[in-house]
Amino acid sequence: MNGVAAFVAGLRELGLEPEQRGGLVVVILDVGPASARGPHRVGADPPNDYPRVPPHWLHLQRGLVLAEDPGRASELGDDWWRWSRPHPKWKGNDNAARQWVAHARSLLLVAQVV
Amino acid sequence: MRLSVAMTGDAGAKLAAHLLRHDGQEDLCFATWTASTGHSRTTAIIDRPIIPGPAERRVHGNASFEAAYALRAAQEAALARMGLAFMHSHPGGRGWQALNRVDRSAEARIANLARELTGLPLVGLTLAGDRGWSARIWGGVGRDVVPDPCESVRVIGDGFSVTFNDALVPTPEVSSTQVRTIHTWGEETQATIARLRVAVAGTGSVGMVVADVLGRTGVQDVGIFEFDTVEMVNLDRLRGADRLDALLKRPKTHVAQRLLEAGSTAAHPHHEIYELSICEPEGFARLLDFDIVFSCVDRPWPRHVLNTAAYADLIPVIEGGLSAFQNTDGTLRNAYWRSTLVRPGRPCLACLGQYDPALVQVERDGSLDDPTYIANLPLGSPIRRRENVAALSASVSAALLEQFVSYVARPSGLGEPGPLRFNLRDHTVERDPTVCDEGCVYQESAGCGNARLDPTSRHRAAEQGRSDRASVSMGVRVGRRLDDLMWLLRRRLRSLLDD
């Protein structure tokens, strides 16, 4: 299994409830910055050769922003922004979904509320 | 479709240990195989030997097997969703073995069983006493099964071992321009090197030199993969290119073709020039038609593609690169260049840190070609690094070619040295002790062929490059025609004088 199907299956194995929207996947994570503790919805764009290659963009709902660079319009709709946040040390093995969730959670913790 | 067989050095060693007996008798066994399908070549990758139990085959000078063994092997192959291969030895044979009447009859009997149980054709192999393999793939059904001969069998181990089917890939003529080369490593090695299908992915400062040298070495089939255009900024390091190429917006493949045409010493060169990215489906399929690839690319996506092919499709990839570091005043502090040969058993490019898998998708979605994206990257980001200089990129080319010669010519019987790092300031060369992480997905995918996760997709930068070259002004078009005419005249003059 690969691509979106593998990503969704991996998240389900972690007890999460991912929702597929076209080529993107939205999932609820129960963390957030101190001033806006979770849960928050985040989106990802797993490529066809996931888990060899991780998703590039992290999609966040408006209200949460990541510092240092401007977000871009998201394919998920006007309520969303996407942020370029490649995984810092990706190993495309069996723990791929866990790696991505840890990465997304670490970004949510440092997100800023606007 | 041309046919070939490949196997890892480990599989080859296991099979040879079983098939080449100490008592000099013939032996046999089955194995599983999987396909790696290129544009014009299909390679059967031998996966796992299925060694017979004591009651499953008889050795009596020749060797024969019980039906139950064939059935067990076919069932194991079917369960693994793989094909069935049957192999036997000719201990007294040397090199490629023709299929004799007895062997043909034995394999024909298994061919239908293999197809019925696995859905794939039988691959038949013979191992000669000098460890030379020969192979065929059985087509047809019922009484009409026929062996389609393969063109080569490649064993990807510490050294590159290949046996050619002389009927399909004849030993090339030696030309007077190759005398010094043959004095260096002998006619047999030259005959092997000349028949290898060698691809160069990326013809920038490193790849253009590599392509030129391969042509001069007498390699008959050199493949060039490049989608980029010659620009003025390339001229300080791009061999064979001049201002006219930049003014006429020539593809780099054009320069490579010219170099190969002018310098090739093969009697009948057949160079394949593709204005394609290996990241595109067609580029990747054509890449799979080659035996060895030089990786002269510097971005994460093509490196990921090559890393995938090196393991999944058993196509050794020779890779290298240059890093230069400056003092605070902008002067050169030190430079390193490295070289490695990527194959099962050697560290992969991801574990070596030659690319970051997370940046593959960043490149794929076009971000690395988006100036605003690049402008927002931190100053120290490796993506922003642009250093390159002809005097040092020539060293990278040399380091890659040394890996190639070590692998195919095997000086003193030794193969390639593993990853090396050259230090300019200290004038030293070091071995890189890196090994792949436990559970490395590339090592685990070795020989999986078409079951690989497809690393290709639409490559907009390549499409844009081709499109830009196609939409030039009339003046540039006329300039190209005149330039082509001059090269045509030069070619004519050369052939006139040759005659």
Side-chain angles (χ1 to χ4, degrees):
Chain A
M1 196 165 28
N2 61 290
V4 170
F7 189 68
V8 166
L11 294 176
R12 286 206 174 113
E13 277 179 22
L14 298 177
L16 300 169
E17 294 177 4
E19 175 195 344
Q20 191 176 335
R21 295 196 197 172
L24 279 77
V25 176
V26 174
V27 67
I28 297 172
L29 298 180
D30 60 352
V31 293
S35 56
R37 293 183 193 284
H40 291 285
R41 303 172 88 186
V42 298
D45 53 346
N48 283 337
D49 54 353
Y50 173 90
R52 286 282 191 286
V53 173
H56 170 197
W57 301 92
L58 188 76
H59 299 248
L60 297 179
Q61 285 191 295
R62 287 194 186 220
L64 282 183
V65 300
L66 295 174
E68 293 176 6
D69 65 89
R72 298 185 178 212
S74 164
E75 300 89 325
L76 288 171
D78 293 341
D79 289 346
W80 293 77
W81 283 104
R82 65 185 167 126
W83 308 83
S84 174
R85 288 296 183 274
H87 192 282
K89 202 171 169 57
W90 184 256
K91 305 286 176 202
N93 53 23
D94 296 342
N95 288 324
R98 194 179 297 277
Q99 285 176 63
W100 181 82
V101 169
H103 177 56
R105 287 166 71 105
S106 70
L107 291 169
L108 275 176
L109 285 169
V110 298
Q112 294 169 357
V113 180
V114 291
Chain B
M1 188 65 105
R2 298 175 3 249
L3 303 171
S4 75
V5 169
M7 64 184 86
T8 62
D10 283 350
K14 265 184 209 159
L15 290 166
H18 170 72
L19 293 170
L20 297 177
R21 301 167 57 96
H22 293 300
D23 60 13
Q25 299 186 79
E26 291 186 11
D27 209 334
L28 57 80
C29 72
F30 287 96
T32 56
W33 71 272
T34 189
S36 163
T37 310
H39 183 269
S40 61
R41 181 177 81 178
T42 292
T43 297
I45 299 176
I46 301 300
D47 183 64
R48 190 175 61 82
I50 303 171
I51 303 297
E56 289 185 316
R57 62 91 165 78
R58 280 172 289 134
V59 176
H60 37 74
N62 297 334
S64 56
F65 60 87
E66 299 298 325
Y69 174 41
L71 198 59
R72 171 174 79 86
Q75 284 169 339
E76 282 188 29
L79 268 176
R81 296 187 176 185
M82 289 189 175
L84 183 68
F86 173 71
M87 43 199 77
H88 71 284
S89 54
H90 284 175
R94 292 287 175 270
W96 195 273
Q97 302 290 294
L99 195 59
N100 63 39
R101 192 179 52 79
V102 176
D103 294 341
R104 185 185 175 107
S105 164
E107 288 190 9
R109 279 189 291 138
I110 319 165
N112 283 314
L113 171 78
R115 188 179 287 279
E116 280 163 19
L117 287 190
T118 68
L120 292 165
L122 177 77
V123 175
L125 294 104
T126 311
L127 178 62
D130 64 352
R131 294 187 175 232
W133 288 95
S134 37
R136 51 265 154 203
I137 298 181
W138 285 79
V141 289
R143 288 167 185 257
D144 297 326
V145 287
V146 281
D148 293 323
C150 293
E151 62 180 20
S152 66
V153 179
R154 308 182 300 282
V155 181
I156 314 302
D158 292 338
F160 188 80
S161 169
V162 57
T163 319
F164 289 103
N165 180 350
D166 289 338
L168 296 180
V169 191
T171 303
E173 300 163 31
V174 172
S175 75
S176 59
T177 52
Q178 296 171 339
V179 171
R180 298 274 174 100
T181 304
I182 289 166
H183 279 174
T184 305
W185 50 47
E187 281 191 27
E188 196 176 324
T189 299
Q190 179 64 17
T192 298
I193 291 176
R195 286 186 283 180
L196 291 175
R197 293 177 51 77
V198 185
V200 181
T203 48
S205 55
V206 173
M208 201 68 88
V209 174
V210 168
D212 185 28
V213 170
L214 290 173
R216 289 177 190 278
T217 305
V219 178
Q220 295 182 127
D221 294 289
V222 178
I224 302 292
F225 293 82
E226 175 64 81
F227 63 85
D228 215 355
T229 308
V230 178
E231 296 177 49
M232 288 295 178
V233 72
N234 303 138
L235 297 185
D236 63 350
R237 59 192 185 281
L238 193 60
R239 179 184 288 199
D242 61 25
R243 290 176 61 80
L244 187 60
D245 294 312
L247 292 168
L248 295 178
K249 296 183 170 47
R250 291 288 203 181
K252 288 180 180 172
T253 51
H254 178 82
V255 179
Q257 186 164 23
R258 224 166 49 198
L259 275 176
L260 285 167
E261 198 179 300
S264 180
T265 61
H268 303 288
H270 175 68
H271 304 310
E272 298 176 32
I273 313 290
Y274 300 113
E275 283 183 50
L276 292 168
S277 160
I278 55 167
C279 303
E280 296 175 295
E282 186 187 345
F284 185 65
R286 290 191 182 277
L287 188 81
L288 297 182
D289 294 343
F290 287 86
D291 299 331
I292 295 184
V293 183
F294 280 84
S295 163
C296 305
V297 296
D298 57 5
R299 280 202 167 181
W301 188 12
R303 279 186 167 149
H304 168 61
V305 168
L306 291 167
N307 206 32
T308 300
Y311 294 90
D313 301 283
L314 301 189
I315 298 177
V317 171
I318 300 172
E319 221 274 338
L322 170 72
S323 307
F325 297 91
Q326 291 75 36
N327 296 307
T328 48
D329 62 358
T331 56
L332 181 64
R333 178 156 56 91
N334 200 358
Y336 301 92
W337 57 94
R338 56 190 165 62
S339 66
T340 189
L341 191 140
V342 189
R343 62 172 176 84
R346 285 291 191 200
C348 80
L349 293 177
C351 291
L352 277 170
Q354 299 310 327
Y355 77 97
D356 179 349
L359 294 180
V360 172
Q361 189 61 10
V362 179
E363 182 179 356
R364 241 186 224 147
D365 67 23
S367 296
L368 295 190
D369 298 300
D370 176 354
T372 59
Y373 181 87
I374 300 292
N376 279 313
L377 288 172
L379 285 178
S381 168
I383 295 167
R384 297 177 75 122
R385 299 184 76 106
R386 308 290 292 172
E387 68 271 2
N388 202 340
V389 57
L392 295 181
S393 61
S395 297
V396 182
S397 306
L400 300 191
L401 288 160
E402 285 163 16
Q403 291 272 357
F404 175 71
V405 171
S406 296
Y407 198 44
V408 299
R410 304 184 69 167
S412 299
L414 299 174
E416 44 87 15
L420 298 177
R421 189 172 83 142
F422 299 77
N423 179 325
L424 175 70
R425 184 190 58 199
D426 302 342
H427 301 285
T428 54
V429 54
E430 305 155 0
R431 286 183 190 278
D432 183 341
T434 303
V435 293
C436 274
D437 297 336
E438 200 177 325
C440 168
V441 290
Y442 294 96
Q443 298 286 354
E444 289 183 353
S445 71
C448 74
N450 295 344
R452 76 187 87 76
L453 292 185
D454 183 5
T456 68
S457 74
R458 194 174 167 189
H459 193 175
R460 286 183 174 78
E463 291 172 5
Q464 188 67 48
R466 291 189 294 264
S467 162
D468 288 349
R469 285 193 294 275
S471 57
V472 292
S473 67
M474 183 58 76
V476 170
R477 283 172 197 274
V478 171
R480 284 177 182 172
R481 295 295 291 270
L482 287 171
D483 187 39
D484 288 343
L485 193 63
M486 286 175 64
W487 276 97
L488 185 67
L489 287 171
R490 194 178 159 82
R491 195 185 301 155
R492 279 286 173 81
L493 179 62
R494 193 167 53 221
S495 67
L496 273 174
L497 293 174
D498 267 350
D499 294 343

